[in-house]
Structures are given as structure tokens and as C-alpha cells.
């Protein structure tokens, strides 16, 4: 595992756009709800907020870019996408999820977002076997688009980044899939995330820039 950066190394970083150019990524986190208490601005990944004097993150503002938040340090546990906007409480981190989020202790930016040209292929079984389908849009119900199963065994992300949800309507556990992680190759559902215990995926959408 790569060495964790120190606070002094977390300076202003420029992240590339999918079509060239650079964008500054910024997120402000607070140790109390409703943007109260101690706060800190980050422009790059944070392995553990405890290194900055936080026990957890209770509210946050995404100033630019999109980020992935994690329940535990070192990018482990439940994950959830954080797009530009305000999140006054922990429950807001997961949007309309069907599970309760109590903490966020690590997070990182998503640098490969390409909303207009995101493309992925999903497969019925692991190792890219069985029936497949190509996606390049937002799908609140995979079954409604003709996918006959409530599971996805493996997938390839050709461009951009997606968030996959356990249930229809963008609910349930989230799995963030990026073309520049794992080389875009997710050959088994256990590679979807450290919290993934089942290949159940029933809705998918592109991550907003």
C-alpha cells in the first residue's frame, strides 16, 4: 500500500478533465452537523481524518469535483459518492440510500469523470461471462431496460465513472466504478468494494462533474 501523505503534503492539486485542462478539486469537512465546529479544506485524498484532529466527519461541502467517501480509514467499508453541494448531516452523504450512514473517516477525489461520454459493459457472471449489456446513460432500473437479472457478476468501465446501486431507484449500497481504477476491470463482484457481499445491482447512473 502506498505511503499515506502527511498534512503538509496535502496542498492544492490540479486534476485533469477528461477532455483536457485542469480542475481544482475541493471539499470542506466539519466535525459537527450543519457546518459547525472544527473544519478543514482538502484538495486531495485523505486516508484518515483522525490525522487532522477529527473523530469523524459530520457535515461537509463539496466545492468542486466529485469525491468518494468511506466509512472507515484507508478507503474501506461503505462507500458513497459526493457530488457538488452541501451535506448538513451524515444521513445526507448517502442520498436516498436504504441504509444508515453514521460516519465518514476517509475520502478521495474522482479524477476520471466524463459524464457525457461515460460508457461501461456489464456481464451476467464473473470473469466477463454470460449475457452482457452496454450502458452509456442513467438507468434507475436495469430490469426496465431489459436486464433480466437483479445481479451483475462483472463489469468493464471503458470511460468515465459510474455509481452502481443495490436496489432500483438509486437506493441501497453504492459501488463507485471508475475507468482509471483496476484499469476499469472489475471481474468479480468482490472487487466492487470492500463492503460488497453480493452481486446484486439494480440501478446505475453516471457520476456528475
Amino acid at each position: 500500500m502506498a505511503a499515506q501523505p502527511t498534512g503538509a503534503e496535502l496542498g492544492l492539486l490540479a486534476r485533469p478533465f477528461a477532455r483536457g485542462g485542469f480542475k481544482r478539486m475541493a471539499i470542506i469537512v466539519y466535525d459537527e452537523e450543519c457546518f459547525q465546529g472544527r473544519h478543514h479544506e482538502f484538495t486531495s485524498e485523505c486516508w484518515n481524518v483522525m490525522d487532522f484532529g477529527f473523530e469523524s466527519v459530520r457535515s461537509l461541502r463539496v466545492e468542486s469535483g466529485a469525491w468518494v467517501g468511506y466509512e472507515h480509514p484507508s478507503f474501506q467499508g461503505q462507500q458513497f459518492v459526493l457530488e457538488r453541494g452541501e451535506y448538513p448531516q451524515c444521513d445526507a452523504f448517502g442520498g436516498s440510500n436504504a441504509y444508515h450512514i453514521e460516519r465518514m473517516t476517509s475520502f478521495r477525489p474522482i479524477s476520471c469523470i466524463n459524464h457525457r461520454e461515460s460508457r461501461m459493459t456489464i456481464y451476467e457472471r464473473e470473469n466477463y461471462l454470460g449475457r452482457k449489456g452496454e450502458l452509456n446513460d442513467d438507468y434507475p432500473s436495469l430490469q426496465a431496460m431489459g436486464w433480466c437479472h437483479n445481479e451483475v457478476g462483472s463489469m468493464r468501465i471503458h470511460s468515465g465513472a459510474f455509481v452502481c446501486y443495490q436496489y432500483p431507484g438509486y437506493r441501497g449500497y453504492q459501488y463507485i466504478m471508475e475507468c482509471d481504477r483496476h484499469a476499469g476491470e472489475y471481474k468479480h463482484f468482490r472487487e466492487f468494494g470492500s463492503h460488497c457481499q453480493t452481486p446484486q445491482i439494480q440501478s446505475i447512473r453516471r457520476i456528475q462533474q
Side-chain angles (χ1 to χ4, degrees), residues 26-30 34-35 59-64 83-87:
I27 184 172
I28 304 173
V29 301
Y30 300 79
C34 298
F35 319 113
S59 58
L60 63 89
R61 289 187 171 101
V62 176
E63 297 290 314
S64 57
E83 293 159 314
R84 186 172 182 178
E86 297 189 341
Y87 300 79

Side-chain angles (χ1 to χ4, degrees), residues 18-193:
R19 284 186 167 274
F22 292 92
K23 181 178 180 64
R24 178 177 178 269
M25 315 288 274
I27 184 172
I28 304 173
V29 301
Y30 300 79
D31 67 355
E32 295 182 15
E33 294 183 349
C34 298
F35 319 113
Q36 300 296 311
R38 182 187 177 97
H39 66 277
H40 191 94
E41 180 177 358
F42 291 85
T43 56
S44 63
E45 63 190 12
C46 174
W47 289 72
N48 190 344
V49 294
M50 293 182 184
D51 294 340
F52 296 85
F54 290 74
E55 289 188 7
S56 180
V57 174
R58 301 296 182 187
S59 58
L60 63 89
R61 289 187 171 101
V62 176
E63 297 290 314
S64 57
W67 299 69
V68 188
Y70 294 85
E71 181 184 16
H72 300 304
S74 301
F75 316 126
Q76 299 296 308
Q78 293 181 24
Q79 55 182 250
F80 33 91
V81 66
L82 299 166
E83 293 159 314
R84 186 172 182 178
E86 297 189 341
Y87 300 79
Q89 297 175 329
C90 293
D91 284 344
F93 297 169
S96 59
N97 282 315
Y99 60 80
H100 179 64
I101 296 172
E102 294 184 349
R103 69 181 67 85
M104 184 181 83
T105 56
S106 60
F107 46 90
R108 61 176 179 82
I110 304 172
S111 60
C112 65
I113 300 171
N114 188 354
H115 185 260
R116 291 186 177 181
E117 297 183 10
S118 294
R119 186 170 63 89
M120 70 184 297
T121 303
I122 60 175
Y123 297 83
E124 181 182 3
R125 301 198 301 273
E126 62 185 54
N127 295 316
Y128 317 119
L129 298 175
R131 185 185 179 196
K132 67 180 182 179
E134 187 162 312
L135 312 180
N136 58 6
D137 206 338
D138 301 333
Y139 301 90
S141 172
L142 291 182
Q143 286 71 33
M145 64 159 274
W147 190 252
C148 298
H149 308 279
N150 63 4
E151 297 180 348
V152 174
S154 53
M155 62 183 70
R156 285 188 168 108
I157 313 303
H158 306 292
S159 60
F162 292 83
V163 54
C164 303
Y165 295 83
Q166 184 180 11
Y167 302 123
Y170 311 128
R171 296 178 300 110
Y173 287 121
Q174 297 183 29
Y175 310 107
I176 285 69
M177 307 298 179
E178 301 155 82
C179 68
D180 63 353
R181 295 180 73 84
H182 301 281
E185 303 276 328
Y186 299 84
K187 62 183 179 181
H188 191 279
F189 74 86
R190 295 198 181 278
E191 297 180 348
F192 297 172

